[in-house]
Amino acid sequence: MYEDYDGSEKARSATFQQSIISVLSIWLDLYLQDFNEPPSYPCLQALRSFLKKNLPNSDLFNRVQHRFSKFCTDDDSDDGVCVDSVDCADGRYVVHGRTLPSPSKHGELIESVEFSQLNIRTIAEQLTRIDADLFIKLEAHQCLGSTWNQRSKDKANECPTVAATISMFNSVIFTVISTILKDIDLKASKRARVIEKWIYIAQELRILKNFSSLRAIISGLQSSPIFRLKKLWAHVNKEMMEIYTDLAQIFSLESNQIASRELLMKEGTAKVSTQTRRKSKTNGVSDAAMYRYDQSSLCCGTVPYLGTFLSDLTMVDSAFSDYTDSGLVNFEKHRKEFEIVAQINLFQSAAKMYQVEPHRRFCAWFNSMRVYTEDER
């Protein structure tokens, strides 16, 4: 657009100049990710050169200068959300280096922590803290079908924020499987208590409106290594099975996942979840404690399941070509993509409402969990 700005008398008129400043300001403010192209930032460099030539004394030029310096500073600090290394095996991203803070402080090492030593509330809140942080840092343009689907081969490097979110999702799945299978000498009745604890954690995540880890836990419990253990499931409390069934129904594949979509639209930006806890003798939490917890979490954010948006954007990319038959830009495709990306941006704002401090013992436990191979499961 701005290549046509030729510096003529008409172009220098106040009205035309203000229009250009308005358009570029909105672009810079609302779609900053378009300019985040390390290491050289070509788009931001081009915009800076244009403003330096045509609008050198404008506030917009100063803002672009500041943004460029900020990007360069952030590159030097290199504190992004990317996982240390991500390998793609069988189409799944497996985390090797996690995005959790170090479990040590001032050189002090934390002793080994077991799953049984962490309470339900702590695990649910900490998973939500990590998921929300990753989702907030997600660059929505990396979710576009043309970038994420088969047209882009090196997904981990070209879409690092998406890869980090998927890696965390898979880490939760593998953690669920590992905690259930870890002790080969554990009796079925005791192992069933582990499953019940994960169902309680899933219920807490539903209340916290963290649909990402909620789906990961359900996926872990539905995975072949766990689901096929019929004798183990026979020891699971009947009431807990009802809770599990209700939670699993949220992510039913019927009618293009209509249940999860409707729930997300209903509660996505609401401050209060409509979900309530079911009372159970196996919960081990007093009514007074639950009341205090409910009061402290009345205002919570939302973390959606990213896979839904990735699927929708991939479908749009597959169904619509980039250009029309006459060679023009296919604005219908970009309009549909914009609507989906706008939803992601809306939920990113909602995710900022969470206020959870890191828990060192949880970090030590989560980082230490072993991922079993296919043969071991």
Side-chain angles (χ1 to χ4, degrees), residues 88-104:
C88 187
D90 300 327
R92 296 174 300 176
Y93 282 90
V94 182
V95 123
H96 294 289
R98 307 207 187 191
T99 57
L100 300 176
S102 173
S104 61

Side-chain angles (χ1 to χ4, degrees), residues 63-80:
R63 288 167 54 203
V64 170
Q65 285 275 59
H66 172 74
R67 176 49 56 187
F68 182 75
S69 299
K70 185 72 165 56
F71 276 153
C72 293
T73 301
D74 290 344
D75 278 351
D76 291 338
S77 61
D78 194 23
D79 58 352

Side-chain angles (χ1 to χ4, degrees), residues 179-180 182-194:
T179 53
I180 297 172
K182 182 179 179 181
D183 190 348
I184 60 175
D185 297 324
L186 200 64
K187 293 182 178 180
S189 58
K190 295 275 184 74
R191 206 183 298 274
R193 302 293 84 78
V194 178

Side-chain angles (χ1 to χ4, degrees), residues 144-146 149 151 313-324 329-340:
L144 293 175
S146 59
N149 69 9
R151 290 162 63 180
L313 287 168
T314 299
M315 289 179 61
V316 170
D317 183 64
S318 301
F320 296 87
S321 60
D322 293 332
Y323 298 94
T324 63
V329 174
N330 190 344
F331 283 102
E332 177 63 15
K333 173 180 180 177
H334 294 306
R335 182 186 65 79
K336 291 181 179 294
E337 289 179 329
F338 171 79
E339 291 174 351
I340 299 172

